[in-house]
């Protein structure tokens, strides 16, 4: 009996202790960030912000959908002040669920072009990534490439790889097509593209590049970001792949290359709104934007900051001319027609 | 009638019933979703996706069950009945693959087979330009079987060494042929353990999201996340979870149905099995077989990870990592002890009184393992927010400035979720050993007016110690590897090693993920080593 009593009392104290210490960790001068981005670069910037302003940054990292769910459930009691997500479509979803608030900041208006901002100033883009064609120069000549739509040509049969349709980057790509070309054309596009796949979608973006290198396919549709990461990988063989393959920005003469952004929005029930705004402002500053560009191979949104040399070596490009809110508007429609047209 | 109920109140029943009520309340908001009418998304899923999900899920669990059952049973059988070089070493390192999370194995292997990986490079260097694609349903079956078979191995081995020696010796005396001994004695006696082990493997497989998502194998766990997140429809996700629950229910009861009314409890004195000396050729064959299993399930991927780690070692050499390790070990230990404790309470409760209530309690408390982590996470979150709202006046009384979400922002929520999720696992190992021990010693103690607690500590726990230890390792290893619950329910600024691994793996940085993953593997390996090398009454357990 003694044993079990001891056991139980140790348990209870432990529960209470862990409960109390963690429950009271909220100080005054803090900002709590729910972030989908889990990069060392981001942590570096948060630390820098802490040093410059004395505001402590708390971070919770999980996938976009999990964070949105969490915010929704916590309601007005949430401790989150800022939501950072690497997909404009998901931010739009958060806005539709009434989880964000409009803010006004001259600094942000100066630093961030208007098409990378929400129309009601509920979220602000921080970095950009382009979804491009990556090809093997021995098997594809650059003259053969032009648009995403040209990939439907029968000469590309069994020569294209791309990751799963359930991936958010692909979903947003298709959402942008619906916004620009309408549903019917987009359906034709998906259907034709799937016919030219060289295998059922599998793996992540880097795996698509490796598949092209291995000769499974000749063209991969993937993000510039991962090409940057591979070129600077700790694995020398990945660097080799990145150096051999070439990047092509499609639709330069027509509708522009698809881009997506990482963006931040102040939560509706934020208790540290001022701090949260300061943090976004900091992240959009020239200093922070250069860090994003150089350490994480993303395109800066701040027009006064140059992309990294590697990214510049791929050349300039014209992006799709749509407000990125559209990616959210057409997101679920995109998901449904991708299933119906058989993009696994 | 009431009197009878009050009389049956004791430590076991109180803790069991409270646990059941808490778990039910936490999960009820999820199940209430099933009652709402199907959405358009559901018809979409039904028309375009459901058939594929069903087909893939059945292929996956059928072959994974077969292969892991074969690997686990054969290795346990060999280690128990034959004497060969390295037997003692094999008998514990065969458990090691459990230390390697399946999703990490999947990442590492597909990296090794990719264009830049060692296998393809070697093939190319000898002039074979062939590319082996392991990112498929067969690849998933192999990965799951080789990383999860130790569940079968452990249970079957403990069952074999526990109860078959006398029967086998008697059978031998009666000149029974080896095959006959095998089919008539060994198989029936170990059947509950074999099924129990395979069941654990299958439950893990059904719950996995990492491997199937990465490989693009569309099974139910994939579907649940997909309909919830991509199609934005929680109701359909819950409906799909309900289908998984039905599958699990069938699996759980399959063994009981097959076994029928027969009970194979062997209450014989344990006696060490006389191991058969094998000849040279057979010895080589045995060693090769076991080595392959361990190499595929542990050696090869871990070696690759060590290579990766050498390139990226700076990732884990930072002060923060120490905190992360302490965090991880503390919460894992705490959640594990709590889980095993509750499972012992509930099993005692259920075996001492067999009423409708007990059966209901059992069913409710073992539901958690069948529900995908992320779905449990959301249910638990909603539940805790409600509880905090309810308790808010009390918080205010203690501290005027108290925040409302006290429990929700604490580790209590995560611990609670771990318990829900892993109770079944603990049940399985504790129950299988209780099944074997039978109830007569306990009953004898009660007849002698020994109190329930005294009996538990003096009679039951010494008898079921092995089962408890098995439960403890399995749950601990599961908690330390756990991802979805931890990601969603952890407090701010709280990282575990697994969340670190996820951070890198999710960003396609397998190299960097290797360091933290190796720490998980190291901790689990040490656990396994400790438990298998523990001195028991002066002699080694192995």
């Amino acid at each position: 009996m003694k044993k079990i009593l001891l056991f139980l009392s140790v348990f209870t104290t432990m529960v209470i202790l862990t409960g109390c210490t963690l429950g009271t960790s909220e100080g005054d001068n803090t900002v709590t960030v729910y972030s989908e981005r889990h990069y060392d670069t981001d942590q570096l910037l948060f630390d820098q912000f802490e040093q410059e302003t004395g505001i402590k940054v708390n971070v919770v990292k999980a996938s976009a959908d999990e964070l949105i769910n969490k915010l929704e459930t916590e309601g007005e009691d949430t401790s989150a002040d800022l939501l950072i997500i690497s997909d404009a479509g998901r931010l739009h979803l958060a806005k539709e669920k009434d989880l964000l608030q409009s803010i006004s900041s001259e600094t942000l208006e100066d630093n961030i072009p208007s098409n990378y901002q929400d129309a009601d100033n509920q979220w602000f883009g921080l970095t950009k990534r382009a979804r491009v064609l990556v090809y093997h120069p021995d098997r594809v000549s650059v003259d053969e490439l032009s648009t995403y739509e040209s990939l439907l040509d029968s000469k590309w049969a069994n020569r294209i790889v791309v990751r799963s349709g359930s991936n958010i980057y692909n979903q947003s790509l298709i959402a942008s097509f619906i916004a620009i070309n309408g549903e019917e054309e987009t359906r034709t596009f998906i259907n034709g593209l799937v016919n030219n796949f060289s295998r059922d979608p599998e793996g992540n973006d880097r795996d698509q590049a490796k598949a092209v290198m291995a000769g499974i396919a000749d063209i991969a549709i993937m993000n510039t970001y991962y090409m940057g990461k591979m070129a600077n990988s700790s694995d020398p063989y990945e660097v080799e792949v990145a150096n051999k393959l070439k990047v092509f920005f499609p639709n330069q003469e027509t509708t522009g290359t698809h881009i997506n952004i990482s963006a931040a929005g102040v939560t509706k029930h934020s208790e540290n709104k001022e701090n949260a705004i300061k943090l976004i402002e900091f992240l959009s500053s020239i200093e922070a934007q250069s860090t994003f560009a150089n350490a994480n191979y993303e395109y800066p949104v701040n027009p006064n900051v140059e992309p990294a040399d590697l990214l510049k070596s791929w050349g300039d490009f014209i992006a799709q001319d749509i407000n990125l809110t559209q990616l959210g508007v057409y997101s679920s429609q995109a998901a449904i027609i991708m299933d119906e047209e058989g993009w696994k | 009638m009431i009197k009878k109920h009050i009389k049956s109140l004791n430590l076991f029943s109180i803790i069991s019933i409270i646990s059941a009520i808490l778990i039910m309340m936490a999960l009820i908001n999820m199940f209430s979703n099933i009652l709402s009418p199907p959405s358009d998304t559901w018809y979409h899923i039904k028309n375009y996706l459901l058939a594929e999900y069903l087909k893939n899920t059945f292929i996956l669990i059928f072959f994974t069950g077969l292969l892991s059952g074969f690997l686990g049973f054969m290795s346990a059988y060999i280690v128990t009945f034959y004497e060969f070089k390295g037997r003692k070493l094999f008998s514990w390192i065969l458990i090691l693959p459990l230390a390697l999370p399946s999703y990490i194995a999947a990442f590492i292997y597909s990296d090794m087979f990719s264009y830049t990986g060692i296998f393809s490079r070697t093939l190319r260097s000898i002039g074979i330009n062939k590319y082996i694609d392991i990112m498929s349903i067969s690849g998933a079956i192999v990965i799951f079987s080789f990383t999860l078979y130790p569940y079968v191995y452990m249970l079957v081995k403990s069952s074999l060494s526990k109860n078959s020696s006398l029967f086998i010796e008697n059978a031998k005396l009666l000149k029974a042929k080896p095959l006959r001994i095998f089919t008539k004695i060994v198989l029936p006696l170990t059947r509950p353990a074999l099924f129990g082990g395979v069941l654990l493997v299958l439950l893990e497989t059904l719950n996995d999201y990492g491997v199937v998502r990465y490989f693009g194998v569309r099974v139910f766990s994939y579907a649940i996340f997909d309909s919830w997140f991509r199609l934005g429809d929680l109701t359909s996700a819950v409906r799909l979870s309900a289908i998984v629950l039905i599958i699990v229910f069938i699996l759980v009861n399959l063994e009981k149905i097959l076994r029928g009314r027969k009970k194979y409890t062997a209450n014989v004195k344990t006696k060490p099995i006389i191991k058969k000396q094998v000849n040279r050729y057979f010895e080589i064959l045995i060693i090769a077989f076991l080595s392959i299993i361990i190499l595929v399930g542990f050696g090869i991927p871990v070696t690759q990870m060590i290579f990766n780690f050498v390139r990226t070692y700076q990732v884990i050499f930072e002060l923060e990592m120490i905190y992360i390790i302490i965090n991880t070990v503390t919460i894992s230990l705490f959640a594990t002890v709590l889980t095993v404790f509750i499972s012992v309470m509930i099993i005692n409760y259920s075996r001492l009184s067999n009423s409708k209530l007990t059966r209901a309690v059992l069913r409710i408390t073992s539901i958690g393992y069948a529900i995908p982590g992320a779905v449990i996470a959301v249910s638990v979150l909603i539940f805790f927010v409600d509880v905090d709202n309810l308790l808010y006046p009390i918080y205010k009384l203690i501290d005027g400035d108290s925040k409302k979400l006290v429990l929700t922002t604490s580790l209590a929520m995560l611990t609670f979720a771990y318990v829900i999720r892993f109770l079944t696992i603990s049940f399985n190992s504790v129950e299988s050993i209780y099944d074997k021990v039978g109830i007569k010693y306990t009953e004898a103690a009660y007849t002698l007016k020994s109190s329930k607690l005294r009996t538990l500590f003096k009679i039951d726990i010494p008898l079921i110690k092995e089962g408890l230890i098995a439960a403890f390792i399995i749950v601990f290893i599961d908690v330390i590897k756990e991802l979805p619950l931890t990601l969603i329910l952890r407090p701010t600024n709280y990282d575990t090693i697994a969340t670190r691994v996820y951070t890198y793996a999710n960003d396609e940085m397998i190299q960097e993920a290797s360091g933290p993953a190796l720490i998980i593997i190291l901790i689990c390996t040490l656990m396994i080593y400790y438990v298998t090398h523990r001195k028991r009454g002066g002699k080694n357990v192995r």
Side-chain angles (χ1 to χ4, degrees), chain A residues 20 149 163 181 183 204 209-210 235 260 290 295 299 312 337:
Chain A
C20 287
E149 291 83 354
R163 73 196 289 182
N181 302 330
E183 181 177 323
N204 53 33
K210 291 178 191 174
D235 181 349
N260 205 335
S290 316
Y299 289 94
K312 273 195 280 185
I337 65 173

Side-chain angles (χ1 to χ4, degrees), chain B residues 28 42 61 63 65 81 87 128 145 227 229 435 437 443 503:
Chain B
I28 206 147
W42 177 250
I61 62 175
F63 288 103
F81 290 109
R87 190 192 63 81
I128 304 172
S145 300
S227 57
F229 294 147
D435 265 3
V437 170
E443 279 174 346
T503 300

Side-chain angles (χ1 to χ4, degrees), chain A residues 1 58-59 61 202 207, chain B residues 44 133 135 214 453 490 493:
Chain A
M1 190 66 197
N58 295 317
V59 192
K61 292 174 270 188
E202 63 180 36
D207 292 321
Chain B
H44 172 76
D133 187 8
M135 284 195 257
Y214 186 49
L453 269 183
R490 65 192 160 148
N493 295 338

Side-chain angles (χ1 to χ4, degrees), chain A residues 3-197:
Chain A
K3 259 188 196 164
I4 198 152
L5 279 180
L6 185 76
F7 189 59
L8 284 177
S9 50
V10 168
F11 254 175
T12 0
T13 17
M14 269 183 85
V15 170
I16 292 167
L17 277 179
T18 47
C20 287
T21 46
L22 282 147
T24 52
S25 67
E26 319 290 329
D28 279 338
N29 209 14
T30 61
V31 55
T32 300
V33 181
Y34 279 12
S35 176
E36 187 197 10
R37 292 170 54 96
H38 32 63
Y39 312 130
D40 296 342
T41 324
D42 290 35
Q43 194 54 52
L44 200 81
L45 288 172
F46 293 154
D47 292 345
Q48 222 171 325
F49 177 72
E50 223 170 290
Q51 268 176 8
E52 282 177 22
T53 60
I55 300 169
K56 182 166 170 28
V57 184
N58 295 317
V59 192
V60 175
K61 292 174 270 188
S63 80
D65 299 293
E66 287 160 351
L67 292 172
I68 291 173
N69 252 304
K70 194 169 155 93
L71 263 182
E72 221 179 343
T73 315
E74 291 169 345
E76 55 187 72
D77 301 311
T78 185
S79 54
D81 302 304
L82 198 60
L83 179 68
I84 301 182
I85 284 177
S86 51
D87 171 55
R90 283 291 179 270
L91 271 155
H92 179 75
L93 184 73
K95 179 188 173 188
E96 279 195 326
K97 291 189 169 190
D98 202 17
L99 299 172
L100 303 176
Q101 59 172 299
S102 306
I103 54 169
S104 61
S105 154
E106 275 184 27
T107 316
L108 290 179
E109 296 303 331
D110 288 346
N111 286 347
I112 304 171
S114 64
N115 52 334
Y116 303 141
Q117 293 182 15
D118 173 50
D120 302 315
N121 284 337
Q122 296 209 2
W123 50 259
F124 296 85
L126 297 175
T127 62
K128 294 187 278 184
R129 297 169 185 192
R131 204 145 179 81
V132 296
L133 308 183
V134 166
Y135 63 96
H136 198 296
D138 296 353
R139 283 176 254 128
V140 176
S141 124
V142 68
D143 313 330
E144 296 177 273
L145 300 170
S146 58
T147 60
Y148 294 110
E149 291 83 354
S150 71
L151 296 177
L152 306 193
D153 193 300
S154 58
K155 79 169 173 188
W156 299 118
N158 281 322
R159 294 174 70 186
I160 297 170
V161 277
V162 62
R163 73 196 289 182
S164 160
S166 66
N167 181 265
I168 188 69
Y169 301 136
N170 286 334
Q171 204 180 327
S172 287
L173 176 76
I174 295 304
S176 77
F177 287 1
I178 301 176
I180 295 168
N181 302 330
E183 181 177 323
E184 274 321 300
E185 263 187 58
T186 308
R187 274 182 188 276
T188 320
F189 171 74
I190 301 171
N191 194 296
L193 188 68
V194 170
N195 279 333
N196 287 347
F197 281 177

